[in-house]
Amino acid sequence: MKISFLDLVPVIAADGASDALHNAARLAQTAENVGLNRYWLAEHHNMPGIASSATSVLLSYLGSQTSRIRLGSGGIMLPNHAPLVVAEQFGTLAALYGERFDLGLGRAPGTDGATFAALRRTMGDAERFPQDVQELMGYFTASDQARVKAVPAMGFDVPIWILGSSLFGAQLAAALGLPYVFASHFAPQMLMQAVTVYRENFRPSAQLDQPYVMVAANLLLADRQRDAEYHFTSVQQGFVNLRRGRPSYVPAPVEDMDTIWTPAEHQMVDSALSVSFVGDTTRVRERLASFLDYVKPDELIVTANVHDIDARVHSLELVPALALFDLNTASPSPAHTSTADAA
């Protein structure tokens, strides 16, 4: 089984977005050197603690800083964009850095109503998601006779993925014959039902001849159990702040979460983050292996948007010690040098 990494590019108040963006390059390079399969970014807007809003722009920067690892979106929130523009952006990435980009698509706007309006979109745009996905796919396979051409997307192999946390995405991915990702790292309730629906209803396509499921989990490894649990309080606080309607910069970790959350909030966070594996490699290995044996995904994508960048880097460095994943173990490579850099 392959393992990949999902990054929200967390912003620390004292550091700011610039440091967060450069930290993303450090994480992507670490993921590549450790042997992870993919490094994905998620589109969010109007959230002070997340710097991955201009997803395709940041992916271009990361393409210049890596050479082997697959890069992509987990995902682009398609209701926020015209399919033609998304095809042009990801076609440009493929033209610049080779066909190592994935285009994961989500149906939710990934923001609030006021920001949706600022994007010049309406909530009704999400209702066209199936049609927009097919239109987007068509731009990559269009012929020279097509009336509208997405240049330079035409002819490039950019795999399309469907993301979801309900049965809708599972059904759509199955119907279109596309790989499917379930957001169990924050919405685990329908995980097994969605995976079953996808696998049972999958129809082979030009992109994929059999179902391929990737599931998401929170993973934070450390040398000591208590260190991992301490740093993970940043994630727990972030969920509390979000549910209180006060999204914030990534909070600093605390020794005692009982000074932060109410009993009801504690229960809510534990439910939302139930697919989380936090601790030293010995303790995490058994729990994670049981989860993988139960769900039987084709790939696992993990995330850990905590306050301390060194803790995030070290967590990735410890992944090989789990001995649970098929890693791309070629020798570490230097950062890719773009044409612009060489000039």
Side-chain angles (χ1 to χ4, degrees), residues 10-272:
V11 181
I12 310 305
D15 297 337
S18 181
D19 282 351
L21 296 171
H22 288 98
N23 285 340
R26 182 181 172 192
L27 263 294
Q29 290 166 351
T30 301
E32 178 172 78
N33 291 336
V34 167
L36 270 61
N37 193 36
R38 312 175 202 272
Y39 175 96
W40 280 9
L41 301 172
E43 175 189 353
H44 291 80
H45 299 280
N46 197 28
M47 293 189 178
I50 298 176
S52 53
S53 55
T55 311
S56 59
V57 177
L58 183 52
L59 284 173
S60 185
Y61 167 60
L62 297 177
S64 73
Q65 301 299 305
T66 58
S67 59
R68 296 190 315 273
I69 193 169
R70 295 197 63 84
L71 302 171
S73 61
I76 291 291
M77 301 296 106
L78 193 53
N80 295 342
H81 311 277
L84 173 62
V85 173
V86 176
E88 290 170 340
Q89 291 172 348
F90 277 76
T92 300
L93 291 170
L96 284 171
Y97 303 113
E99 294 178 333
R100 58 185 178 106
F101 286 85
D102 304 312
L103 178 47
L105 301 171
R107 182 170 67 115
T111 187
D112 56 87
T115 309
F116 210 40
L119 290 166
R120 302 299 189 265
R121 315 298 285 179
T122 68
M123 298 305 290
D125 291 322
E127 301 305 314
R128 296 196 306 271
F129 183 67
Q131 294 81 9
D132 285 350
V133 171
Q134 293 176 82
E135 178 184 341
L136 176 54
M137 293 170 62
Y139 287 124
F140 288 100
T141 58
S143 69
D144 289 334
Q145 286 71 46
R147 185 176 180 182
V148 178
K149 303 176 184 65
V151 180
M154 292 171 54
F156 277 110
D157 181 15
V158 178
I160 306 291
W161 295 65
I162 300 297
L163 283 62
S165 58
S166 68
L167 299 186
F168 180 90
Q171 292 166 339
L172 179 62
L176 297 179
L178 298 176
Y180 178 57
V181 189
F182 190 85
S184 36
H185 60 306
F186 72 88
Q189 288 74 21
M190 301 183 73
L191 168 60
M192 290 309 300
Q193 189 177 358
V195 169
T196 299
V197 164
Y198 169 70
R199 286 174 169 155
E200 290 183 350
N201 294 279
F202 180 84
R203 300 176 183 175
S205 68
Q207 179 174 326
L208 200 62
D209 60 2
Q210 59 185 358
Y212 193 96
V213 176
M214 182 157 62
V215 299
N218 297 287
L219 175 68
L220 187 64
L221 302 172
D223 296 324
R224 300 186 302 174
Q225 181 73 25
R226 66 179 183 179
D227 290 340
E229 292 172 352
Y230 170 71
H231 287 296
F232 197 68
T233 62
S234 293
V235 178
Q236 294 168 324
Q237 291 178 77
F239 266 78
V240 170
N241 292 339
L242 190 61
R243 295 304 171 92
R244 289 175 180 176
R246 299 197 297 268
S248 65
Y249 295 105
V250 178
V254 295
E255 293 290 349
D256 185 4
M257 277 298 298
D258 287 337
T259 65
I260 304 292
W261 54 24
T262 67
E265 288 170 337
H266 187 175
Q267 184 177 14
M268 175 274 296
V269 172
D270 282 354
S271 176

Side-chain angles (χ1 to χ4, degrees), residues 277-291:
F277 304 93
V278 179
D280 61 70
T281 56
T282 300
R283 298 192 196 188
V284 165
R285 184 184 300 113
E286 183 176 354
R287 290 186 56 240
L288 183 54
S290 296
F291 172 78

